[in-house]
Amino acid sequence: MLHLSAAVDQPSAYDAASYLTLARLAERGGLDFVTLEDSFARPGPDALAVLARLAPATSRIGLVPTVTTTHTEPFHVQAAVATLDWVSRGRAGWRIDVSTTEGEARLFGRRQAAPSDALWQEAGEVADVAAKLWDSWEDDAEIRDAPTGRFIDRDKLHHVDFRGTSFSVKGPSIVPRPPQGHPVRVVDATDGPARRTAARYADVALVRATSAPQAAAVRNQLRSMTADFGRHPDQLRVLAGLLVDLGDGEHAAEPGHGGGGPRQTPQGPLYRGGPVDLAELIATWHGEGIVDGFHLTPVEPLRDLERLVNGTVALLQHRGLFRTFYPGSSLREHLGLARPANQYATTGARHEP
Amino acid sequence: MSRRRMHLAAHFPGVNNTTVWTDPESRSQIEFSSFAHLARTAERGLFDFFFLAEGLRLREHKGRIHDLDVVGRPESITVLSALAGVTEHLGLAATVNATFNEPFELARRFATLDHVSGGRAAWNVVTSSDAFTGENFRRGGFLDRADRYTRAAEFLETARELWGSWTPDGIPRPFAHRGRHFDIAGEFTVPRSPQGNPVVIQAGDSDEGREFAASAADVVFARHSSLEEGRVFYADVKRRLAKYGRTPEDLKIMPGIGVVLGDTAAQAQEKAAEIRRQQTSPQTALRTLEQIWGVDLSSYDPDGPLPDIDPVADPALTQGRTRRGDTVAIAEKWAALAREKGLSIRQTVIEAGGRQFFIGTPDAVATELDEFVQREAADGFVLVPHLTPGGLDQFVDEVVPLLQERGAFRTAYRGTTLRSHLGLPDPVRKG
């Protein structure tokens, strides 16, 4: 199954309407999810709040904000992501990222900037404790048992007692287990320090690659590392991350650019050309098993997303390579990922009469 | 002279035993549909704002998670951001702790909520001194009582510096704040939001709390709900404003209240008594008494007399609940109350814990609410329904029109921002 997703980032946009237009467009194209970047380092709104605002105005599209782990509180982060899953009824994801700069550290004033590998190690711990907190309520913990007066079965709520290298959390969460069990975790695994964290904790890894062999190599490495962590490699979806500039419309891609594949730019791998050639590239990379799908960042958001949905996606659908409707309602269902078992769920033995 | 118009807000019935879950009409306290129902009802009633409380650790009693009350809630700013998509005018207020957050991140989240709601965000600033709650956070530990408020005041001051840091043309300006609690610098990432400063709400009854409210808040979520107590509190807090260069109109005093309606006064009273019984089940009555007595009372009959044993102060028995002060003194008071009126354990807990309700026919309740406002015991009210999510329906359908007929409440929203509903000045920050 081909997975397609898109970024809805826009410079200097703070109102809900412009994001809503893009998310609805992506939903019309049947995309798995949209992402919204976030960073304390440059202007932009709180991504999770923006996507929460879009939740009741969309119905199927997955909503994946970036939420950083370096200067934030793990307990708050997991609660906010779980809540995004509740308000969207199972469409939340979480793009995990770190804050590496001294400038970001100065905005908080409580710790120094740290090397990337230490921050990704910590991000892994945050992902780990988040999963524990999401599981800290078993799915059927709320019982509303009038005869005994108990609203919850407290044997189905769990302290997580997590001790990491830079924080500890007692738990349980205040938010009951979200609809997806675990909202979908997304990590850009292009850079080395992020790769282990992606292999261990992510459901979706993004890989910015300029060529099919390069993407295939990273995917193979990620799958093998995933297996080393005791996970089945098919639990990880690897998507190629590309900037797309479809400004050339239906014209053929410039030689050496779109038609010949993406080229490296300071902003990342850029595909430039027409929607038809982009469909060709997607079909080829996916058909050859190089990647599980794509994460596309339109260079000019409205124009390129429109061309992507009306051109590229329509063509892929016509060729039977991409869904024409959402068969499920949760982001996990779009991605073909199972709802995770609860790590604290006990056997029924305790409940024998 | 024209009639003073009241402000109205709706509290979402979240956790605790005031929320009745045994009622057949009780629905999810988690599903978004519940939040949307109550918010839309409040907006249909032209309310000023919708209010969410906060919980950061589940209560524990005798070392185990408390299991009798409604518990579990989603994170507030995220819920309110989503509600911004299903409402147009309603203010959206989140209670968020100034102890276990950092100014840059929180100011940014509230500024974003203000942007995506078109100017409807409010922050109810609370503090914590609770090491028990601290176990869920990087900060850990706790702050002593005095530091809680100095940190909260500096937190809010810093947030306002951040909110005001962009030029009117939308260019970020560097800021730096160096104080006792925060030493931070850089550029804020969000331009001035529609309200400039999201509305600031404060709840707290202590002297420090009143002073903090007078110096920095736009709304006080008060506890007093008897007319005389309300008048005293109102006069005291309004008097404090002058020293901060503020006028009485700059701060709205809104007590949290319960309303019980009936076709007759007697029927309303009967219904109110039934609600109190539902709020205090036999198990809840015993556990409440254990919190006060500081000892295990599980062998006692909730419908029998109070224990004839001495209370002990045991702060570790119940964790995560606001301290009730000197529990031994309270125990003695409750014992005296039970003796005097011949009450059982459950009856005592109901009687002693009963909060002020406005009980009666819609007409009587409308008259009484209006009187509170005309006689300066309040500028308005935060309604705390006992049912999720339909607990506001009857009030909006039956009382709001009567208030409007009396000229005591708006008949339409006149502006689009929460500040405009509250009649608060637009904070123009220069610099």
Side-chain angles (χ1 to χ4, degrees):
Chain A
M1 200 194 324
L2 171 64
H3 301 287
L4 294 178
S5 57
V8 293
D9 303 286
Q10 304 168 89
S12 317
Y14 296 86
D15 64 310
S18 59
Y19 291 106
L20 189 55
T21 301
L22 297 178
R24 281 185 168 147
L25 190 53
E27 186 169 74
R28 190 152 60 71
L31 269 56
D32 292 51
F33 60 89
V34 292
T35 59
L36 184 57
E37 265 287 7
D38 202 349
S39 162
F40 297 123
R42 52 176 164 66
D46 180 83
L48 191 138
V50 171
L51 293 189
R53 166 65 182 78
L54 306 189
T58 53
S59 60
R60 286 288 185 273
I61 188 98
L63 303 167
V64 185
T66 296
V67 184
T68 58
T69 61
T70 306
H71 300 294
T72 50
E73 286 285 356
F75 191 85
H76 291 322
V77 168
Q78 64 82 27
V81 174
T83 301
L84 182 62
D85 208 42
W86 279 107
V87 301
S88 66
R89 293 188 297 181
R91 296 185 282 133
W94 167 23
R95 183 161 169 190
I96 302 168
D97 204 355
V98 300
S99 306
T100 56
T101 67
E102 189 57 45
E104 287 159 293
R106 286 290 293 130
L107 300 170
F108 288 81
R110 60 178 183 177
R111 53 198 296 205
Q112 306 268 305
S116 184
D117 50 357
L119 295 179
W120 275 107
Q121 155 82 18
E122 183 187 50
E125 290 177 3
V126 177
D128 189 12
V129 79
K132 286 184 162 64
L133 287 162
W134 293 333
D135 286 344
S136 67
W137 290 59
E138 293 183 34
D139 287 315
D140 51 357
E142 188 181 308
I143 51 173
R144 300 192 182 224
D145 187 48
T148 60
R150 293 176 306 145
F151 182 77
I152 46 164
D153 177 353
R154 59 186 172 192
D155 292 333
K156 294 187 174 183
L157 264 62
H158 306 275
H159 291 116
V160 302
D161 285 317
F162 185 91
R163 295 203 163 274
T165 49
S166 64
F167 65 90
S168 59
V169 177
K170 181 74 181 175
S173 182
I174 54 158
V175 189
R177 195 165 194 249
Q180 294 186 100
H182 299 175
V184 171
R185 288 173 295 190
V186 181
V187 174
D188 188 322
T190 307
D191 295 330
R195 210 165 287 175
R196 279 176 61 84
T197 302
R200 188 161 180 186
Y201 296 106
D203 303 294
V204 175
L206 307 180
V207 175
R208 285 169 281 138
T210 45
S211 71
Q214 192 190 359
V218 178
R219 180 169 182 268
N220 287 339
Q221 192 203 5
L222 279 167
R223 287 173 64 88
S224 129
M225 286 167 80
T226 300
D228 293 344
F229 285 116
R231 307 172 65 200
H232 194 287
D234 288 347
Q235 287 178 284
L236 181 70
R237 300 277 170 269
V238 180
L239 309 186
L242 292 179
L243 288 158
V244 292
D245 176 353
L246 303 179
D248 288 351
E250 294 304 320
H251 299 297
E254 291 175 33
H257 294 169
R263 67 179 161 127
Q264 192 57 264
T265 71
Q267 290 74 39
L270 169 72
Y271 167 87
R272 192 159 167 231
V276 177
D277 290 311
L278 180 60
E280 190 58 40
L281 185 146
I282 289 172
T284 306
W285 285 30
H286 182 255
E288 290 172 9
I290 291 157
V291 289
D292 302 302
F294 288 79
H295 176 252
L296 304 169
T297 302
V299 169
E300 202 175 306
L302 188 58
R303 179 199 71 188
D304 290 335
L305 195 58
E306 266 176 353
R307 290 182 184 184
L308 179 72
V309 166
N310 298 332
T312 308
V313 169
L315 197 60
L316 291 166
Q317 288 170 331
H318 183 70
R319 291 171 59 183
L321 297 174
F322 190 62
R323 68 168 74 89
T324 51
F325 65 98
Y326 291 100
S329 58
S330 76
L331 175 54
R332 282 192 172 273
E333 286 172 312
H334 306 340
L335 288 163
L337 295 169
R339 189 175 190 268
N342 189 318
Q343 58 192 295
Y344 295 103
T346 45
T347 65
R350 192 167 43 74
H351 298 293
E352 282 171 15
Chain B
M1 191 181 139
S2 70
R3 184 169 284 264
R4 276 161 52 82
R5 285 202 168 185
M6 73 177 66
H7 299 281
L8 290 174
H11 182 282
F12 183 81
V15 303
N16 66 35
N17 70 314
T18 61
T19 302
V20 173
W21 56 266
T22 48
D23 192 297
E25 298 288 306
S26 171
R27 301 276 180 270
S28 172
Q29 81 287 11
I30 302 295
E31 299 278 350
F32 183 66
S33 56
S34 287
F35 293 92
H37 179 103
L38 197 91
R40 285 177 171 139
T41 308
E43 185 161 88
R44 182 158 58 80
L46 306 175
F47 278 39
D48 294 62
F49 63 92
F50 173 97
F51 185 89
L52 288 173
E54 180 185 53
L56 297 175
R57 175 122 188 229
L58 301 182
R59 252 165 79 191
E60 293 182 11
H61 182 68
K62 293 192 221 169
R64 304 189 67 195
I65 290 164
H66 180 75
D67 58 358
L68 301 179
D69 299 340
V70 180
V71 65
R73 52 178 140 203
E75 188 270 322
S76 296
I77 296 178
T78 307
V79 171
L80 296 178
S81 302
L83 286 176
V86 297
T87 54
E88 279 181 52
H89 295 275
L90 189 67
L92 303 165
T95 303
V96 183
N97 213 285
T99 306
F100 299 113
N101 283 287
E102 299 300 319
F104 189 88
E105 185 191 10
L106 198 59
R108 188 166 177 270
R109 297 188 73 205
F110 274 109
T112 301
L113 178 61
D114 209 42
H115 275 289
V116 300
S117 66
R120 299 188 276 139
W123 174 24
N124 178 34
V125 185
V126 294
T127 63
S128 174
S129 61
D130 197 338
F132 175 76
T133 304
E135 284 187 283
N136 280 336
F137 297 97
R138 289 182 189 269
R139 165 177 287 279
F142 63 99
L143 294 167
D144 67 32
R145 192 170 176 81
D147 275 349
R148 277 161 61 190
Y149 276 104
T150 58
R151 179 179 160 100
E154 192 181 326
F155 196 120
L156 183 54
E157 182 189 318
T158 310
R160 284 180 166 147
E161 286 164 16
L162 293 164
W163 289 329
S165 69
W166 285 50
T167 68
D169 310 328
I171 310 294
R173 278 179 299 202
F175 80 92
H177 175 99
R178 178 163 227 169
R180 181 165 159 227
H181 295 277
F182 307 107
D183 177 6
I184 64 177
E187 272 179 14
F188 194 49
T189 64
V190 184
R192 194 175 189 282
S193 67
Q195 292 189 109
N197 291 348
V199 168
V200 169
I201 304 172
Q202 197 269 338
D205 198 35
S206 64
D207 194 59
E208 299 104 305
R210 291 179 190 206
E211 208 59 35
F212 179 43
S215 68
D218 301 303
V219 175
V220 174
F221 183 25
R223 298 172 67 106
H224 301 275
S225 45
S226 88
L227 184 67
E228 277 319 309
E229 268 182 81
R231 282 174 57 81
V232 170
F233 178 81
Y234 190 98
D236 177 63
V237 174
K238 296 271 176 167
R239 179 181 54 75
R240 294 174 192 242
L241 288 162
K243 82 174 98 153
Y244 300 103
R246 307 178 73 199
T247 68
E249 291 71 40
D250 292 345
L251 179 67
K252 308 299 174 190
I253 295 176
M254 300 175 70
I257 61 162
V259 171
V260 182
L261 302 169
D263 292 340
T264 64
Q267 202 187 77
Q269 286 295 344
E270 199 179 304
K271 198 161 134 195
E274 175 56 25
I275 291 167
R276 283 181 179 149
R277 275 194 297 277
Q278 289 177 310
Q279 288 169 331
T280 309
S281 68
Q283 297 90 335
T284 294
L286 264 191
R287 214 170 281 179
T288 306
L289 208 67
E290 284 182 336
Q291 290 165 19
I292 307 292
W293 251 255
V295 290
D296 185 342
L297 301 172
S298 49
S299 62
Y300 282 77
D301 175 5
D303 293 318
L306 263 66
D308 189 19
I309 51 174
D310 288 335
V312 295
D314 181 2
L317 187 75
T318 298
Q319 302 263 33
R321 187 176 184 120
T322 313
R323 289 274 162 265
R324 291 162 174 269
D326 181 352
T327 50
V328 173
I330 293 169
E332 281 161 8
K333 212 165 91 186
W334 285 24
L337 176 74
R339 269 196 309 275
E340 185 197 323
K341 296 196 174 178
L343 303 176
S344 70
I345 288 175
R346 189 179 179 194
Q347 288 165 334
T348 305
V349 173
I350 290 172
E351 179 92 5
R355 59 170 56 199
Q356 172 75 22
F357 279 71
F358 287 79
I359 302 164
T361 62
D363 195 64
V365 167
T367 303
E368 206 183 345
L369 292 176
D370 185 32
E371 191 191 0
F372 262 66
V373 174
Q374 301 314 320
R375 297 193 56 201
E376 301 197 330
D379 293 309
F381 304 92
V382 179
L383 270 71
V384 186
H386 71 280
L387 266 186
T388 310
L392 202 61
D393 299 0
Q394 198 185 0
F395 182 89
V396 165
D397 292 336
E398 298 176 14
V399 180
V400 167
L402 296 174
L403 292 171
Q404 290 169 329
E405 275 173 31
R406 285 167 168 74
F409 188 60
R410 69 171 64 89
T411 53
Y413 287 112
R414 305 223 183 285
T416 58
T417 67
L418 175 54
R419 279 188 182 276
S420 69
H421 308 336
L422 289 167
L424 293 168
D426 191 27
V428 179
R429 292 190 67 92
K430 300 191 175 77

